[in-house]
Amino acid sequence: MSIVLGLFNYWVVIALMMIGFYLVIATSNLIKKIIGLNIFQTSVFILYISIGKVKGGAAPILEEGTELYANPLPHVLILTAIVVGVATTALGLALIVRIKEAYGSINENEIREKGGTT
Amino acid sequence: MLVATALASIFIRDLFAVIMVFGIYSLVCAGFFLNLNAPDVALTEAAIGAGIAPILMLGTLALTRHSWDPEPHAKKSKHNPLLPLIVVTITGAALVYASFDMPHYGDVTAPANNHVAPRYLQDSATEIDIPNVVTSVLASYRGFDTLGEVFVIFTAGIGVLALLGFLSDGSGRKYWQFADTASLRRHTVLHVIAKILIPLILLYAFYVQFHGDYSPGGGFQAGVIFATAFILYTMVSGLQAVYKIIRPEFIYLMMVIGVMLYAGTGLVAMFMGGNYLDYNALDHHDPVHGQHLGILLVELGVGICVAAVMMSVFFNFAGRGIHVPEDNKEGGQ
Amino acid sequence: MMETILSNLPALQVLLPLLTAPLCFMIRKQGVTWLFAFLATLGSFAIAIDLYREVMTNGPLSYHMGGWEPPWGIEYRLDELNTFIVLLVSAMATMTLVFARKSIEKEIAPQSFALFYTAFLLCFAGLLGITITGDAFNLFVFLEISSLSTYILISFGKDNRALTASFQYLIMGTIGATMLLIGIGFLYMMTGTLNMADLASRLPEVMDTNTVRAAFAFIIVGLSIKLALFPLHIWLPNAYGYAPSTVTIFLAATSTKVAIYALIRFIFTIFGVEFSFGGMPLTAIFLFLSILAVFSGSLSAIYQTNIKHVLAYSSIAQIGYMMIGIALLSTLGLGAGILHMFNHAIMKGCMFMALGCVYFRYGSARIEDFKGLGKTMPLTMAAFVVGGLGLIGMPLTAGFISKWYLVLAALEHGYAGIVIVITILVGSLLAVAYIWRIVEAAYFQEPENEPQGEAPMALLIPTWILALATIYFGLDTRLSVEGATRAAESLIGGGL
């Protein structure tokens, strides 16, 4: 039972990741794909931060009297990853705008019919 | 809650609603991060995931739709949902398989919490002397990663400029000749509130920037918040009004200055005898002071670059809807 | 001053192009931006040569970023393998930039020139960063720098399909990068470190856990997307096909090679040969997929009308060869795979440059455009033929050397080896088919378009440098073979 409790958090995160991943590959709307990508990535972030959680630990800001802290390293990594994620999103959305101007649609299937390459 | 919002994203067809739901998802994530004792991350995720990302998505939506109705001609996806489901199930199963040997949630004896991390917590007080350990790691111990990250942001700024900016337009029209975006001029209440909020937002941005050593915060969050103030102003008063205050060329210059400030600090450290980004070398008599100086400069570089890029990206999106793009491209064969 | 530079070379290798990029962005005059970019790549190449010599004589080199020792700080680590790759990447970048100056005049709007060079330098710096770093997360960050700039570079293509190609690559590439991130996260979870050498030493104790096995799987799949291993190669033909010619040259010569490098680094250095091939059925999977890659790539190449697509599918087949070499596991096999990375970069670079010349004159590069080119653009076609011969594996070209070593390595494996040898032979025959199609059009048919004359010198020179290199490295193999062999030995003979 303790295994389930200890791992439950991870399973929820995994479910989130899979929802995001599914959205990316199954939808034909380009904006939804980007959103799915974001959900996928954000859940990976949750996974990383959960790794760093220490029961009873405080936020990693040094204070008098506090002994136990959460692990700061995953926080740093995820800060970087969030930024990378938004950079990718911005580029993807800009591409979508241009694709719409060129093909008149942001639906994969319609674009394919007009000669695009998806 | 998280799972509910995520699932909703799949099934809702109206894109506007999906974007809003995504915003809620991000905000809940941020709250979750707080719960996991990660305030820096929560702040960043809130600002970016629930702030910038939805704004850009809504901008994209506005640029790619003629009406606010859900896509009237949206065709049902031609691919069978079966293949994606299979792929996703396999991946999910692999992840669950992986989880069985993982250290339990919150375990204080896990390897992750006991190998590299303890030194940051224990020694950063003497080596760097800043309470916010995340800032120490981000800006100093793993400062090179953060340099990479600033360059990622810079690259995105370049990319959006290349794709949507006036530089890529063949017509050569200057930005200030664009017609005014549909501004919310008639909504006086919004105007008044915005005018009150904007200085507060800017102040908060400066606070987060400079107090990041002592409390959650730092360059990234500050940069995003700073940009938000300008975005708010643009939404309320229109693109032309903003361009009177701050010209795009200035923003592009700031992008470069931000990045070069960071990289340059590293170079100075190098020429003063240390390795690249070794702040100890910045002050030979008092290395810890060197660390403070280095981190200050570097975070400032981050803040400037991030603010500039966020603003430039937003302006590029906002400016695109106005003029008719001249397409010199060939279509598909 | 000189001393500071010399003692910080590893950092400068990446910093030079990285920092020149924002400068290019600020300067808008085309002539000057090109010069800056060119000087940056040339400088990078010079540094690469120096570092290569240093490592080959004195062994691995380590540099601590920020002065913090690993694993608390980020380490740059140069050994025989990555030094070889850095040399290759910087050489190709310099050549491409020489070609770029004239080539982009016809393919990109003048206002975007500065942005192009900026993105190019960022991509170059990103690729170098991936190769030199000794820290797994740092690898991820620079992978994203190079990926994002690649999406931008592809989107500069004139055809509207460049946009969809870039978007498709963006989606697939980001999924791959996220999987890599998941894998790295799992590894961190189980060992508490991100430094590659440290991971290598701490992994054996936890090797036998589900988590580590899953980490391995995610990292392999994530990187396989980036290196376009069959069946995850779908993004490549369109990305190469619709990007501007210069971009295709650079990508074909470098980006998949760097992804393969990352794969090799994770498999051999971090996880170790025993685990990767003993504990997990990697050899079988890689061999199976690579053989499929060779066949499907070569076959698809035969049916394309756009020559860029022909060469793109051919690249997928060639990547199959490289992966076969890696799957063969011996010093000989691994060395052959690494050698092919080197040779293929030169040969494909040459062929895409020849294509770029045709594109410059005619604005497109379909099979119809090639008719009669043997007469109207003799030098260009000759270079193309040289590259093609290399691809087929004709003796006297570099391509022959790598295929030869691959065959030798395969024969060490008895029956399974025979299958591989047959694959290589059939692959070469198929290559003859798709190359012959083009040669036939060029030399035996009348031109359809108005002849525009030979390509300008500025474009011909780099094309011919690479063509000559193809022949040179087929004859004098000291640099290439020695480099590849030492790299392979460093990996199999005991890792770091």
Side-chain angles (χ1 to χ4, degrees):
Chain A
M1 196 53 203
S2 71
I3 292 186
V4 175
L5 281 179
L7 296 179
F8 178 69
N9 272 283
Y10 296 145
W11 291 344
V12 175
V13 177
I14 292 174
L16 286 172
M17 281 203 261
M18 290 306 101
I19 294 176
F21 189 34
Y22 177 77
L23 198 55
V24 181
I25 44 186
T27 186
S28 54
N29 182 300
L30 298 184
I31 296 186
K32 266 185 148 184
K33 271 189 193 291
I34 296 282
I35 293 184
L37 204 56
N38 266 293
I39 296 181
F40 185 36
Q41 290 180 307
T42 328
S43 9
V44 175
F45 304 158
I46 300 181
L47 180 70
Y48 263 75
I49 303 285
S50 328
I51 298 175
K53 161 126 182 151
V54 172
K55 266 217 169 61
I61 299 182
L62 301 172
E63 266 185 332
E64 290 289 317
T66 319
E67 288 292 315
L68 201 56
Y69 295 104
N71 187 341
L73 187 53
H75 300 184
V76 174
L77 303 180
I78 295 310
L79 273 179
T80 309
I82 293 179
V83 170
V84 168
V86 78
T88 314
T89 303
L91 263 183
L93 290 172
L95 276 171
I96 294 180
V97 172
R98 288 291 297 275
I99 291 178
K100 165 73 177 189
E101 285 172 9
Y103 290 102
S105 162
I106 53 172
N107 185 302
E108 237 184 6
N109 303 315
E110 289 171 12
I111 297 174
R112 202 175 296 149
E113 280 166 19
K114 296 191 192 184
T117 56
T118 38
Chain B
M1 178 69 183
L2 277 174
V3 178
T5 41
L7 278 172
S9 319
I10 302 185
F11 295 112
I12 298 182
R13 310 211 72 203
D14 177 20
L15 282 176
F16 182 71
V18 177
I19 296 176
M20 288 296 119
V21 166
F22 174 69
I24 298 175
Y25 174 84
S26 301
L27 204 54
V28 176
C29 271
F32 196 46
F33 286 142
L34 256 177
N35 192 323
L36 291 173
N37 305 127
D40 278 70
V41 183
L43 188 52
T44 317
E45 173 65 27
I48 290 186
I52 296 285
I55 288 180
L56 291 179
M57 290 177 193
L58 286 174
T60 313
L61 195 61
L63 288 170
T64 57
R65 277 238 291 255
H66 300 297
S67 68
W68 291 105
D69 306 319
E71 297 194 312
H73 322 288
K75 304 204 168 142
K76 259 223 160 323
S77 179
K78 285 216 177 117
H79 8 109
N80 199 339
L82 190 58
L83 181 58
L85 267 176
I86 295 180
V87 172
V88 169
T89 318
I90 297 179
T91 321
L95 286 169
V96 173
Y97 167 80
S99 70
F100 282 109
D101 283 328
M102 286 184 195
H104 288 188
Y105 177 67
D107 188 355
V108 84
T109 59
N113 300 329
N114 283 296
H115 179 43
V116 172
R119 167 176 168 173
Y120 295 143
L121 288 167
Q122 283 148 17
D123 296 341
S124 68
T126 29
E127 288 174 337
I128 302 185
D129 193 29
I130 290 183
N132 189 341
V133 185
V134 174
T135 306
S136 304
V137 179
L138 187 84
S140 183
Y141 290 107
R142 291 191 69 96
F144 191 65
D145 257 355
T146 313
L147 178 68
E149 184 184 352
V150 180
F151 269 97
V152 168
I153 283 277
F154 180 76
T155 311
I158 298 283
V160 175
L161 184 56
L163 287 165
L164 299 182
F166 69 90
L167 285 179
S168 76
D169 181 56
S171 69
R173 283 162 72 171
K174 292 291 181 186
Y175 47 84
W176 54 68
Q177 287 167 357
F178 296 158
D180 213 342
T181 39
S183 69
L184 305 164
R185 216 167 254 147
R186 275 174 271 144
H187 298 249
T188 335
V189 178
L190 280 172
H191 257 270
V192 170
I193 295 189
K195 291 213 167 141
I196 299 176
L197 279 181
I198 287 175
L200 289 175
I201 296 177
L202 287 173
L203 198 58
Y204 185 55
F206 282 114
Y207 168 75
V208 169
Q209 170 79 49
F210 293 109
H211 212 246
D213 294 353
Y214 301 92
S215 64
F220 291 102
Q221 300 91 329
V224 173
I225 296 174
F226 188 87
T228 314
F230 281 88
I231 293 177
L232 182 57
Y233 186 63
T234 315
M235 289 201 276
V236 165
S237 308
L239 210 49
Q240 255 195 329
V242 159
Y243 280 155
K244 286 194 198 138
I245 307 175
I246 188 166
R247 297 168 60 224
E249 272 131 17
F250 181 69
I251 300 180
Y252 300 139
L253 183 65
M254 284 296 115
M255 277 168 64
V256 173
I257 290 190
V259 132
M260 296 309 255
L261 184 56
Y262 196 129
T265 311
L267 281 176
V268 170
M270 197 167 91
F271 280 105
M272 292 189 72
N275 276 354
Y276 187 67
L277 284 178
D278 185 355
Y279 308 139
N280 286 337
L282 289 175
D283 187 339
H284 287 275
H285 305 290
D286 183 4
V288 180
H289 181 248
Q291 289 288 337
H292 285 184
L293 187 58
I295 294 182
L296 180 73
L297 289 173
V298 150
E299 287 273 15
L300 199 56
V302 171
I304 295 176
C305 183
V306 170
V309 169
M310 292 297 160
M311 279 162 46
S312 122
V313 166
F314 177 74
F315 290 156
N316 278 321
F317 270 86
R320 187 73 175 186
I322 307 169
H323 61 99
V324 179
E326 255 144 63
D327 249 357
N328 306 324
K329 294 186 170 221
E330 315 144 19
Q333 274 176 336
Chain C
M1 163 98 170
M2 220 25 210
E3 234 181 67
T4 319
I5 294 186
L6 285 175
S7 55
N8 286 294
L9 278 184
L12 286 173
Q13 174 82 79
V14 175
L15 287 174
L16 187 52
L18 193 63
L19 268 54
T20 318
L23 284 178
C24 277
F25 175 56
M26 282 322 292
I27 306 168
R28 296 290 165 73
K29 300 199 179 78
Q30 198 238 345
V32 183
T33 8
W34 177 83
L35 192 61
F36 265 53
F38 178 65
L39 289 174
T41 42
L42 199 60
S44 214
F45 185 40
I47 298 179
I49 296 179
D50 190 85
L51 287 172
Y52 182 76
R53 272 203 236 124
E54 162 101 30
V55 171
M56 284 304 180
T57 22
N58 295 333
L61 203 57
S62 169
Y63 182 88
H64 302 166
M65 283 293 176
W68 303 109
E69 333 83 72
W72 294 277
I74 294 175
E75 180 191 16
Y76 260 15
R77 210 189 146 87
L78 281 154
D79 65 4
E80 291 87 346
L81 174 64
N82 57 6
T83 251
F84 187 61
I85 306 288
V86 167
L87 192 62
L88 177 67
V89 172
S90 45
M92 291 312 297
T94 318
M95 286 279 95
T96 313
L97 216 43
V98 172
F99 191 85
R101 184 154 192 244
K102 212 123 176 101
S103 172
I104 63 176
E105 277 172 22
K106 289 282 180 80
E107 301 196 39
I108 299 179
Q111 309 94 302
S112 303
F113 283 172
L115 288 170
F116 172 80
Y117 290 120
T118 311
F120 185 89
L121 286 174
L122 286 169
C123 188
F124 179 43
L127 291 172
L128 288 176
I130 298 173
T131 321
I132 306 189
T133 188
D135 181 286
F137 192 77
N138 196 234
L139 188 142
F140 170 75
V141 176
F142 277 82
L143 179 68
E144 286 299 279
I145 293 182
S146 76
S147 301
L148 286 180
S149 38
T150 307
Y151 309 145
I152 300 173
L153 286 170
I154 296 176
S155 75
F156 275 122
K158 261 185 148 167
D159 194 318
N160 273 338
R161 284 169 293 182
L163 297 169
T164 43
S166 177
F167 188 78
Q168 187 187 33
Y169 185 24
L170 185 143
I171 297 285
M172 286 191 77
T174 311
I175 294 178
T178 311
M179 292 199 161
L180 181 63
L181 191 61
I182 295 176
I184 295 178
F186 284 172
L187 288 181
Y188 175 70
M189 228 185 184
M190 302 307 284
T191 59
T193 180
L194 292 168
N195 180 284
M196 291 181 185
D198 204 19
L199 277 171
S201 68
R202 307 197 89 198
L203 269 175
E205 332 167 341
V206 285
M207 208 67 104
D208 209 18
T209 51
N210 291 357
T211 320
V212 172
R213 282 191 274 261
F216 185 73
F218 275 100
I219 294 177
I220 301 285
V221 174
L223 286 174
S224 295
I225 296 181
K226 281 278 161 182
L227 63 94
L229 180 63
F230 185 93
L232 299 165
H233 63 285
I234 330 180
W235 57 268
L236 194 142
N238 289 327
Y240 282 20
Y242 299 114
S245 306
T246 320
V247 174
T248 315
I249 297 168
F250 187 58
L251 290 181
T254 57
S255 75
T256 40
K257 317 290 179 293
V258 172
I260 297 180
Y261 157 77
L263 189 72
I264 295 179
R265 185 56 83 200
F266 271 100
I267 294 182
F268 287 89
T269 314
I270 299 182
F271 283 99
V273 182
E274 244 182 67
F275 172 76
S276 312
F277 294 96
M280 313 278 288
L282 205 54
T283 318
I285 298 179
F286 272 174
L287 278 178
F288 179 63
L289 291 176
S290 316
I291 295 179
L292 280 178
V294 171
F295 281 117
S296 106
S298 308
L299 280 169
S300 309
I302 303 182
Y303 294 103
Q304 301 299 316
T305 41
N306 185 329
I307 309 301
K308 266 190 164 171
H309 276 92
V310 172
L311 293 181
Y313 277 104
S314 157
S315 288
I316 294 176
Q318 303 295 316
I319 291 170
Y321 289 129
M322 295 173 218
M323 293 306 289
I324 290 179
I326 294 174
L328 284 175
L329 257 206
S330 50
T331 317
L332 196 55
L334 187 56
I338 298 174
L339 181 63
H340 201 53
M341 283 161 71
F342 184 86
N343 290 335
H344 179 247
I346 297 178
M347 299 186 301
K348 256 314 157 41
C350 164
M351 293 176 85
F352 272 118
M353 277 193 183
L355 255 191
C357 292
V358 175
Y359 206 95
F360 185 81
R361 284 294 181 215
Y362 293 97
S364 77
R366 295 159 304 149
I367 187 83
E368 295 85 38
D369 300 305
F370 267 75
K371 289 189 183 162
L373 234 43
K375 282 184 231 137
T376 52
M377 295 181 82
L379 291 171
T380 311
M381 264 325 286
F384 188 85
V385 170
V386 170
L389 289 175
L391 224 48
I392 296 172
M394 199 65 66
L396 287 190
T397 61
F400 173 71
I401 309 286
S402 27
K403 286 202 172 158
W404 175 247
Y405 278 111
L406 263 180
V407 169
L408 283 182
L411 286 174
E412 285 178 355
H413 282 249
Y415 284 125
I418 308 282
V419 176
I420 298 174
V421 175
I422 297 180
T423 311
I424 297 179
L425 286 175
V426 176
S428 301
L429 284 175
L430 291 173
V432 173
Y434 58 74
I435 299 287
W436 174 250
R437 215 173 134 234
I438 303 171
V439 168
E440 198 229 343
Y443 289 103
F444 297 104
Q445 290 183 23
E446 288 308 308
E448 252 182 29
N449 303 332
E450 274 292 314
Q452 299 283 333
E454 184 55 87
M457 270 325 237
L459 295 184
L460 271 180
I461 294 181
T463 317
W464 265 98
I465 294 182
L466 287 181
L468 289 171
T470 313
I471 303 179
Y472 176 76
F473 285 110
L475 298 168
D476 177 359
T477 59
R478 275 171 306 168
L479 173 67
S480 46
V481 172
E482 190 206 326
T485 322
R486 299 240 353 228
E489 280 167 4
S490 78
L491 292 166
I492 297 197
L496 295 169

